[in-house]
Amino acid sequence: MTEKITSKELSKKITEEYLDEAFHAHEKGKLIGYSTAISPVEIFVAHDIIPIYPENHAVANLTAKKGAELCSVVESMGYTSHLCAYARSDLAYRATGKTVTRGIPEPDLFLACNAQCFTLTKWFQVLARKGNLPLFVFDTPEFIMDKRAREEIVKYCVIQLKELISFLEEITKKKFDYDRLREVIKYSAESSILYKKFLDMAQYIPSPISIFDALIGMAIAVYRRGTPECVEYYRVLCDEIQEKVDKGIGVLPKEKEKYRLYWENLPVWFKFSDHAKLLGSYGGVILTSLYVHAWSFEFDLDKDPLVTLAENYVSRFSNSTIEDRASMALELFKKYSMNGMIMFMNRSCKAVSFAVPTLKDVLTKKTGIPALVFESDMGDQRFYSEAQIRTRIEAYFETLDGLKK
Amino acid sequence: MWEGLDIKEIVEMAKDPYPSIKEWAERSGKKVVGSTFADAPEEVIYAFGLLPVTIMGTTKPLKRAPSHLPDNACSLARSNLELVLSYAGDVFHGFVLPQVCDTTQHLSDIWRINLPGKYVESYLAPRQVDRPSARYWVKKELERLIDSLSNWTGMKINDGELVRSIAIHNENKALLKELYELKKKNPSSLTNKELFSMIKLSQQVDKEEFNRSLRRIRDTIKPRGDSDGFTDIVLAGITCDPPEIYDLFDEIKLNVVGDTLLIGTRYIQGMVPEGGNPIDALTERHFKRGFFSPIHDDVFKNFEEMKTIYRETGAKAIVYVHIEFCESQEYDLPDLKKMIKKEGIPMHVLDTEYQTLSLSHVRTRLQAFFESLKGV
Ligand code: SF4
Ligand code: SF4
């Protein structure tokens, strides 16, 4: 009998195959489309355009603590240190070729969906200018709370998706295949359900996964959604975690799991494992964040494919009002029985962070749970103060302990 | 209240127009609607009998804004937030807030949550402008705004009211344009500070009244000295604050002969074609002026625009005003600088911040730049 493949092995295999294909795209008559992590990439996949996410590549470099070095390179090129560290490290990679991975293939075209952020549009504009390449901005107006406005916003987005399809047809001189799109969305829908199931396993006590597992597990959903291998990956992953649940294995043993925490924002990539250890030593496990849930789509296969794409992408947390973000987070608090929250003010990500102080106010008011707020940068170590953050974390757990007594 | 102002009074009022707006609103019983830059259609708000006021920050100290927006948020957003939270919140009955970037998107939410009881509507102009869907969307948003204002005020407006409002706004822009032309040719007749105060105040007070002041100034304005010895410059960017920067320009005899600012030419360009369906005309206008929203202001367009103004006006240099820490500008600037340099156009970048207390470093750098130009 052959050994069951682990999710880790499968992830590695999928990633390698994906990158191999991407590096040889042109030989196979395919194009490389750079895309924002949140974007209706199903359209790319259906049209045989290989999506590449410069953000993912940036994460690899930032996690490997290359942030400060790369960021200083772009600063000498005239970019300020206030921009997103993904963008800064990427622009530096392009200038110097420095990376801890094999790099990423050069783009043929760009898709920037501003449901994620405005930074990416600007960053892609810089890259597109350099190569004089076509850029499509999928403009998703903020998903404001008015029902009628939402219907109109979705309509506007559907019109734009049609424009995106014409844009791609024009570049590739190939007719778009809607049946293929339906098939791709089917895979996305299936993998999204499994991905969400995986994230939601953090409901168990003790939780079998922490946010750090979620962040690792998220990668395939980001860059391989719309494919059968993505579905397969989450099936394997869910089975693995379920096994842990069945055996009662938690990130921390049940008796040690004191604090089930919410995390707001992206992680501090270069402190990834340190944070997990540090929090664990206080009996804390970070379970989830809105960020990892950004890829829990709910595609409705009975709807017109463009409509369900538009509805899903425009309503991501990053494009929702602060009130809606708060409701989404509150739902997670309830579902995962959380009793603490760490709110990270990430200098890099204005799109997420500028909501944080207001969000924190709403959440603490509604849950009565105190919050730990700290400021730093997700990738540029120069903005990270070890001693200060340790002290804050210690003090926070003392407060929580005090409340428990 | 704003119909009999002379130049000096305009400059004074432009510094802090809010007390006069408040007094006017109390006297007239009208409601005041604030908007941040840049796409909110004033004509529509005005047609409802409301006073549209563009909110342009404050130079007063930041007290409450920092707890809502961190220090790497752009100075304009923080300053605007401070203005409504601490200094002039009671002037406004409501807000129509356009969203041009991540910062402004959050700002609308923060305002809605922190100013309960006020009318707050978002105006979601498209952040792409080259495809047919952009036109479709501008029109939809205009219609939605009209519905929303109707619901709030309990009033309906007809085309006649819109047409009248458009005419008043167009007249204001035509007057500003004439005054700008006059100043360009004859810099001693109007200082930079005076002209830009007029454009600024135009976006904040009742235009029907203010047009009377502008008309009289236009009819009576005379050169106040020698117009020689000025260096013509183009001013580029989004806005230019604090207002003392104009004093510096005046002091070293710079004459702004063209600009790409929201508080300058981009505003004046926003005349609405008259005669046809007003909603169609307002939609059309959105695509006619130099675009407000930095998000779709691509660098090539920006560069072409700056180059054209520079060549057409025969200016000697471009002064680019960078608002700390505006992302849109910061992603564009390195390439923009390269293009301008390659074209052989001298350009000086001014880093500005609304709460700047001392401009001495700006003065020194500006002087040095223009000294070096003379040497060329
Ligand atoms: S980290 Fe934030 S600003 Fe940077 S690319 Fe991601 S969403 Fe955009
Ligand atoms: S466009 Fe720039 S100046 Fe305007 S609000 Fe956004 S960041 Fe601030």
Side-chain angles (χ1 to χ4, degrees), chain A residues 12-43:
Chain A
K12 193 163 173 248
K13 181 170 170 274
I14 294 173
T15 306
E16 274 168 12
E17 283 171 2
Y18 156 62
L19 282 175
D20 275 342
E21 194 193 10
F23 274 109
H24 296 100
H26 286 179
E27 293 152 39
K28 294 185 178 149
K30 293 185 178 182
L31 294 181
I32 298 289
Y34 275 17
S35 170
T36 41
I38 295 174
S39 84
V41 75
E42 286 76 8
I43 291 186

mmCIF file of all heavy atoms in Angstrom, chain A residues 12-43:
data_model
loop_
_atom_site.group_PDB
_atom_site.id
_atom_site.type_symbol
_atom_site.label_atom_id
_atom_site.label_comp_id
_atom_site.label_asym_id
_atom_site.label_seq_id
_atom_site.Cartn_x
_atom_site.Cartn_y
_atom_site.Cartn_z
ATOM 1 N N LYS A 12 3.597 21.333 -1.737
ATOM 2 C CA LYS A 12 4.895 21.512 -2.387
ATOM 3 C C LYS A 12 4.797 21.095 -3.857
ATOM 4 O O LYS A 12 5.263 21.787 -4.759
ATOM 5 C CB LYS A 12 5.933 20.666 -1.634
ATOM 6 C CG LYS A 12 7.341 20.988 -2.003
ATOM 7 C CD LYS A 12 8.328 20.438 -0.964
ATOM 8 C CE LYS A 12 9.736 20.644 -1.496
ATOM 9 N NZ LYS A 12 10.426 19.432 -1.835
ATOM 10 N N LYS A 13 4.161 19.958 -4.055
ATOM 11 C CA LYS A 13 4.040 19.425 -5.420
ATOM 12 C C LYS A 13 3.228 20.398 -6.298
ATOM 13 O O LYS A 13 3.646 20.757 -7.402
ATOM 14 C CB LYS A 13 3.343 18.056 -5.334
ATOM 15 C CG LYS A 13 3.169 17.356 -6.654
ATOM 16 C CD LYS A 13 2.685 15.910 -6.412
ATOM 17 C CE LYS A 13 2.278 15.254 -7.717
ATOM 18 N NZ LYS A 13 0.909 15.504 -8.105
ATOM 19 N N ILE A 14 2.082 20.844 -5.756
ATOM 20 C CA ILE A 14 1.224 21.744 -6.540
ATOM 21 C C ILE A 14 1.990 23.025 -6.873
ATOM 22 O O ILE A 14 1.956 23.527 -7.995
ATOM 23 C CB ILE A 14 -0.081 22.078 -5.752
ATOM 24 C CG1 ILE A 14 -0.933 20.824 -5.597
ATOM 25 C CG2 ILE A 14 -0.868 23.173 -6.441
ATOM 26 C CD1 ILE A 14 -2.151 20.995 -4.685
ATOM 27 N N THR A 15 2.704 23.531 -5.879
ATOM 28 C CA THR A 15 3.425 24.787 -6.079
ATOM 29 C C THR A 15 4.531 24.624 -7.117
ATOM 30 O O THR A 15 4.692 25.471 -8.009
ATOM 31 C CB THR A 15 4.013 25.263 -4.735
ATOM 32 O OG1 THR A 15 2.953 25.322 -3.794
ATOM 33 C CG2 THR A 15 4.648 26.620 -4.853
ATOM 34 N N GLU A 16 5.247 23.526 -7.025
ATOM 35 C CA GLU A 16 6.325 23.324 -7.999
ATOM 36 C C GLU A 16 5.786 23.191 -9.420
ATOM 37 O O GLU A 16 6.308 23.783 -10.363
ATOM 38 C CB GLU A 16 7.163 22.100 -7.620
ATOM 39 C CG GLU A 16 8.261 22.483 -6.636
ATOM 40 C CD GLU A 16 8.934 21.290 -5.991
ATOM 41 O OE1 GLU A 16 8.713 20.145 -6.455
ATOM 42 O OE2 GLU A 16 9.682 21.519 -5.015
ATOM 43 N N GLU A 17 4.729 22.416 -9.540
ATOM 44 C CA GLU A 17 4.156 22.234 -10.886
ATOM 45 C C GLU A 17 3.642 23.556 -11.448
ATOM 46 O O GLU A 17 3.820 23.866 -12.623
ATOM 47 C CB GLU A 17 3.006 21.208 -10.830
ATOM 48 C CG GLU A 17 3.524 19.785 -10.731
ATOM 49 C CD GLU A 17 2.418 18.753 -10.452
ATOM 50 O OE1 GLU A 17 1.222 19.145 -10.381
ATOM 51 O OE2 GLU A 17 2.765 17.580 -10.288
ATOM 52 N N TYR A 18 3.037 24.287 -10.557
ATOM 53 C CA TYR A 18 2.491 25.603 -10.963
ATOM 54 C C TYR A 18 3.606 26.530 -11.435
ATOM 55 O O TYR A 18 3.534 27.132 -12.511
ATOM 56 C CB TYR A 18 1.719 26.172 -9.768
ATOM 57 C CG TYR A 18 1.539 27.671 -9.676
ATOM 58 C CD1 TYR A 18 0.844 28.381 -10.654
ATOM 59 C CD2 TYR A 18 2.018 28.378 -8.564
ATOM 60 C CE1 TYR A 18 0.655 29.757 -10.530
ATOM 61 C CE2 TYR A 18 1.831 29.741 -8.435
ATOM 62 C CZ TYR A 18 1.153 30.425 -9.414
ATOM 63 O OH TYR A 18 0.966 31.782 -9.286
ATOM 64 N N LEU A 19 4.670 26.602 -10.661
ATOM 65 C CA LEU A 19 5.767 27.494 -11.044
ATOM 66 C C LEU A 19 6.483 26.997 -12.297
ATOM 67 O O LEU A 19 6.869 27.793 -13.155
ATOM 68 C CB LEU A 19 6.739 27.671 -9.883
ATOM 69 C CG LEU A 19 6.249 28.634 -8.804
ATOM 70 C CD1 LEU A 19 7.206 28.675 -7.629
ATOM 71 C CD2 LEU A 19 6.029 30.048 -9.355
ATOM 72 N N ASP A 20 6.633 25.675 -12.401
ATOM 73 C CA ASP A 20 7.254 25.135 -13.622
ATOM 74 C C ASP A 20 6.456 25.560 -14.837
ATOM 75 O O ASP A 20 6.999 26.005 -15.838
ATOM 76 C CB ASP A 20 7.289 23.593 -13.562
ATOM 77 C CG ASP A 20 8.529 23.134 -12.814
ATOM 78 O OD1 ASP A 20 9.455 23.950 -12.668
ATOM 79 O OD2 ASP A 20 8.547 21.966 -12.364
ATOM 80 N N GLU A 21 5.156 25.386 -14.709
ATOM 81 C CA GLU A 21 4.315 25.762 -15.848
ATOM 82 C C GLU A 21 4.448 27.259 -16.138
ATOM 83 O O GLU A 21 4.566 27.672 -17.284
ATOM 84 C CB GLU A 21 2.853 25.400 -15.569
ATOM 85 C CG GLU A 21 2.024 25.452 -16.842
ATOM 86 C CD GLU A 21 0.522 25.414 -16.630
ATOM 87 O OE1 GLU A 21 0.079 25.540 -15.467
ATOM 88 O OE2 GLU A 21 -0.197 25.298 -17.636
ATOM 89 N N ALA A 22 4.477 28.025 -15.060
ATOM 90 C CA ALA A 22 4.555 29.476 -15.241
ATOM 91 C C ALA A 22 5.874 29.879 -15.908
ATOM 92 O O ALA A 22 5.891 30.708 -16.823
ATOM 93 C CB ALA A 22 4.404 30.167 -13.893
ATOM 94 N N PHE A 23 6.954 29.263 -15.469
ATOM 95 C CA PHE A 23 8.253 29.636 -16.061
ATOM 96 C C PHE A 23 8.350 29.213 -17.535
ATOM 97 O O PHE A 23 9.172 29.745 -18.264
ATOM 98 C CB PHE A 23 9.406 29.055 -15.233
ATOM 99 C CG PHE A 23 9.796 29.954 -14.089
ATOM 100 C CD1 PHE A 23 9.512 29.617 -12.772
ATOM 101 C CD2 PHE A 23 10.429 31.179 -14.337
ATOM 102 C CE1 PHE A 23 9.858 30.465 -11.720
ATOM 103 C CE2 PHE A 23 10.776 32.032 -13.287
ATOM 104 C CZ PHE A 23 10.495 31.670 -11.972
ATOM 105 N N HIS A 24 7.525 28.246 -17.918
ATOM 106 C CA HIS A 24 7.566 27.824 -19.324
ATOM 107 C C HIS A 24 6.298 28.230 -20.067
ATOM 108 O O HIS A 24 5.970 27.657 -21.112
ATOM 109 C CB HIS A 24 7.761 26.306 -19.404
ATOM 110 C CG HIS A 24 9.088 25.885 -18.844
ATOM 111 N ND1 HIS A 24 9.231 25.370 -17.582
ATOM 112 C CD2 HIS A 24 10.344 25.970 -19.360
ATOM 113 C CE1 HIS A 24 10.516 25.143 -17.343
ATOM 114 N NE2 HIS A 24 11.222 25.498 -18.408
ATOM 115 N N ALA A 25 5.610 29.201 -19.531
ATOM 116 C CA ALA A 25 4.314 29.593 -20.106
ATOM 117 C C ALA A 25 4.416 29.914 -21.598
ATOM 118 O O ALA A 25 3.632 29.409 -22.408
ATOM 119 C CB ALA A 25 3.764 30.788 -19.346
ATOM 120 N N HIS A 26 5.380 30.716 -21.941
ATOM 121 C CA HIS A 26 5.444 31.175 -23.332
ATOM 122 C C HIS A 26 5.687 30.019 -24.306
ATOM 123 O O HIS A 26 5.118 30.005 -25.394
ATOM 124 C CB HIS A 26 6.507 32.255 -23.490
ATOM 125 C CG HIS A 26 6.063 33.566 -22.894
ATOM 126 N ND1 HIS A 26 6.845 34.699 -22.882
ATOM 127 C CD2 HIS A 26 4.909 33.917 -22.269
ATOM 128 C CE1 HIS A 26 6.201 35.690 -22.285
ATOM 129 N NE2 HIS A 26 5.014 35.235 -21.895
ATOM 130 N N GLU A 27 6.492 29.061 -23.843
ATOM 131 C CA GLU A 27 6.734 27.905 -24.723
ATOM 132 C C GLU A 27 5.426 27.166 -25.012
ATOM 133 O O GLU A 27 5.264 26.554 -26.053
ATOM 134 C CB GLU A 27 7.698 26.912 -24.056
ATOM 135 C CG GLU A 27 9.112 27.466 -23.898
ATOM 136 C CD GLU A 27 9.842 26.839 -22.716
ATOM 137 O OE1 GLU A 27 9.692 25.627 -22.488
ATOM 138 O OE2 GLU A 27 10.551 27.605 -22.013
ATOM 139 N N LYS A 28 4.518 27.248 -24.039
ATOM 140 C CA LYS A 28 3.245 26.545 -24.226
ATOM 141 C C LYS A 28 2.168 27.462 -24.793
ATOM 142 O O LYS A 28 0.977 27.145 -24.756
ATOM 143 C CB LYS A 28 2.779 25.976 -22.881
ATOM 144 C CG LYS A 28 3.715 24.902 -22.385
ATOM 145 C CD LYS A 28 3.185 24.263 -21.123
ATOM 146 C CE LYS A 28 4.143 23.162 -20.703
ATOM 147 N NZ LYS A 28 4.212 22.955 -19.281
ATOM 148 N N GLY A 29 2.598 28.620 -25.241
ATOM 149 C CA GLY A 29 1.639 29.556 -25.833
ATOM 150 C C GLY A 29 0.737 30.220 -24.817
ATOM 151 O O GLY A 29 -0.329 30.719 -25.143
ATOM 152 N N LYS A 30 1.159 30.212 -23.541
ATOM 153 C CA LYS A 30 0.323 30.849 -22.516
ATOM 154 C C LYS A 30 0.939 32.174 -22.077
ATOM 155 O O LYS A 30 2.141 32.372 -22.211
ATOM 156 C CB LYS A 30 0.190 29.928 -21.306
ATOM 157 C CG LYS A 30 -0.596 28.675 -21.609
ATOM 158 C CD LYS A 30 -0.797 27.858 -20.360
ATOM 159 C CE LYS A 30 -1.634 26.621 -20.684
ATOM 160 N NZ LYS A 30 -1.904 25.827 -19.506
ATOM 161 N N LEU A 31 0.089 33.010 -21.499
ATOM 162 C CA LEU A 31 0.593 34.301 -21.009
ATOM 163 C C LEU A 31 0.611 34.314 -19.487
ATOM 164 O O LEU A 31 -0.117 33.571 -18.834
ATOM 165 C CB LEU A 31 -0.290 35.440 -21.522
ATOM 166 C CG LEU A 31 -0.295 35.680 -23.027
ATOM 167 C CD1 LEU A 31 -1.207 36.851 -23.358
ATOM 168 C CD2 LEU A 31 1.112 35.948 -23.574
ATOM 169 N N ILE A 32 1.437 35.209 -18.947
ATOM 170 C CA ILE A 32 1.500 35.388 -17.497
ATOM 171 C C ILE A 32 0.728 36.657 -17.142
ATOM 172 O O ILE A 32 1.015 37.737 -17.657
ATOM 173 C CB ILE A 32 2.966 35.581 -17.040
ATOM 174 C CG1 ILE A 32 3.819 34.351 -17.360
ATOM 175 C CG2 ILE A 32 3.041 35.937 -15.557
ATOM 176 C CD1 ILE A 32 3.534 33.140 -16.516
ATOM 177 N N GLY A 33 -0.244 36.484 -16.266
ATOM 178 C CA GLY A 33 -1.000 37.651 -15.811
ATOM 179 C C GLY A 33 -0.718 37.893 -14.338
ATOM 180 O O GLY A 33 -0.970 37.022 -13.509
ATOM 181 N N TYR A 34 -0.175 39.047 -14.014
ATOM 182 C CA TYR A 34 0.004 39.386 -12.600
ATOM 183 C C TYR A 34 -1.365 39.777 -12.050
ATOM 184 O O TYR A 34 -2.133 40.481 -12.710
ATOM 185 C CB TYR A 34 0.967 40.564 -12.441
ATOM 186 C CG TYR A 34 2.432 40.182 -12.412
ATOM 187 C CD1 TYR A 34 2.870 38.934 -12.870
ATOM 188 C CD2 TYR A 34 3.386 41.073 -11.922
ATOM 189 C CE1 TYR A 34 4.218 38.606 -12.842
ATOM 190 C CE2 TYR A 34 4.742 40.745 -11.896
ATOM 191 C CZ TYR A 34 5.145 39.511 -12.359
ATOM 192 O OH TYR A 34 6.477 39.189 -12.331
ATOM 193 N N SER A 35 -1.612 39.322 -10.835
ATOM 194 C CA SER A 35 -2.931 39.598 -10.274
ATOM 195 C C SER A 35 -2.835 39.940 -8.796
ATOM 196 O O SER A 35 -1.902 39.520 -8.112
ATOM 197 C CB SER A 35 -3.800 38.347 -10.465
ATOM 198 O OG SER A 35 -4.987 38.472 -9.742
ATOM 199 N N THR A 36 -3.810 40.694 -8.328
ATOM 200 C CA THR A 36 -3.931 40.924 -6.889
ATOM 201 C C THR A 36 -4.429 39.611 -6.279
ATOM 202 O O THR A 36 -5.122 38.844 -6.947
ATOM 203 C CB THR A 36 -4.982 42.010 -6.608
ATOM 204 O OG1 THR A 36 -6.093 41.804 -7.492
ATOM 205 C CG2 THR A 36 -4.461 43.370 -6.860
ATOM 206 N N ALA A 37 -4.087 39.370 -5.020
ATOM 207 C CA ALA A 37 -4.484 38.105 -4.404
ATOM 208 C C ALA A 37 -6.004 37.978 -4.383
ATOM 209 O O ALA A 37 -6.558 36.905 -4.546
ATOM 210 C CB ALA A 37 -3.921 38.014 -2.994
ATOM 211 N N ILE A 38 -6.685 39.101 -4.167
ATOM 212 C CA ILE A 38 -8.138 39.099 -4.259
ATOM 213 C C ILE A 38 -8.497 39.650 -5.627
ATOM 214 O O ILE A 38 -8.356 40.849 -5.867
ATOM 215 C CB ILE A 38 -8.755 39.968 -3.139
ATOM 216 C CG1 ILE A 38 -8.456 39.334 -1.778
ATOM 217 C CG2 ILE A 38 -10.248 40.142 -3.349
ATOM 218 C CD1 ILE A 38 -8.891 40.160 -0.592
ATOM 219 N N SER A 39 -8.884 38.791 -6.527
ATOM 220 C CA SER A 39 -9.319 39.248 -7.851
ATOM 221 C C SER A 39 -10.007 38.078 -8.526
ATOM 222 O O SER A 39 -9.740 36.919 -8.196
ATOM 223 C CB SER A 39 -8.136 39.708 -8.696
ATOM 224 O OG SER A 39 -7.548 38.586 -9.320
ATOM 225 N N PRO A 40 -10.894 38.351 -9.442
ATOM 226 C CA PRO A 40 -11.654 37.258 -10.078
ATOM 227 C C PRO A 40 -10.754 36.460 -11.010
ATOM 228 O O PRO A 40 -10.915 36.448 -12.226
ATOM 229 C CB PRO A 40 -12.753 37.997 -10.837
ATOM 230 C CG PRO A 40 -12.192 39.352 -11.087
ATOM 231 C CD PRO A 40 -11.281 39.665 -9.954
ATOM 232 N N VAL A 41 -9.825 35.768 -10.412
ATOM 233 C CA VAL A 41 -8.786 35.096 -11.182
ATOM 234 C C VAL A 41 -9.350 33.913 -11.966
ATOM 235 O O VAL A 41 -8.736 33.418 -12.904
ATOM 236 C CB VAL A 41 -7.666 34.674 -10.215
ATOM 237 C CG1 VAL A 41 -8.078 33.480 -9.396
ATOM 238 C CG2 VAL A 41 -6.393 34.411 -10.966
ATOM 239 N N GLU A 42 -10.569 33.493 -11.585
ATOM 240 C CA GLU A 42 -11.213 32.411 -12.329
ATOM 241 C C GLU A 42 -11.247 32.739 -13.820
ATOM 242 O O GLU A 42 -11.173 31.842 -14.667
ATOM 243 C CB GLU A 42 -12.637 32.196 -11.805
ATOM 244 C CG GLU A 42 -12.720 31.505 -10.434
ATOM 245 C CD GLU A 42 -12.374 32.407 -9.252
ATOM 246 O OE1 GLU A 42 -12.199 33.633 -9.452
ATOM 247 O OE2 GLU A 42 -12.262 31.883 -8.124
ATOM 248 N N ILE A 43 -11.350 34.020 -14.128
ATOM 249 C CA ILE A 43 -11.395 34.423 -15.541
ATOM 250 C C ILE A 43 -10.047 34.166 -16.219
ATOM 251 O O ILE A 43 -9.979 33.703 -17.347
ATOM 252 C CB ILE A 43 -11.852 35.898 -15.642
ATOM 253 C CG1 ILE A 43 -13.335 35.935 -15.223
ATOM 254 C CG2 ILE A 43 -11.629 36.473 -17.031
ATOM 255 C CD1 ILE A 43 -14.026 37.239 -15.378
#
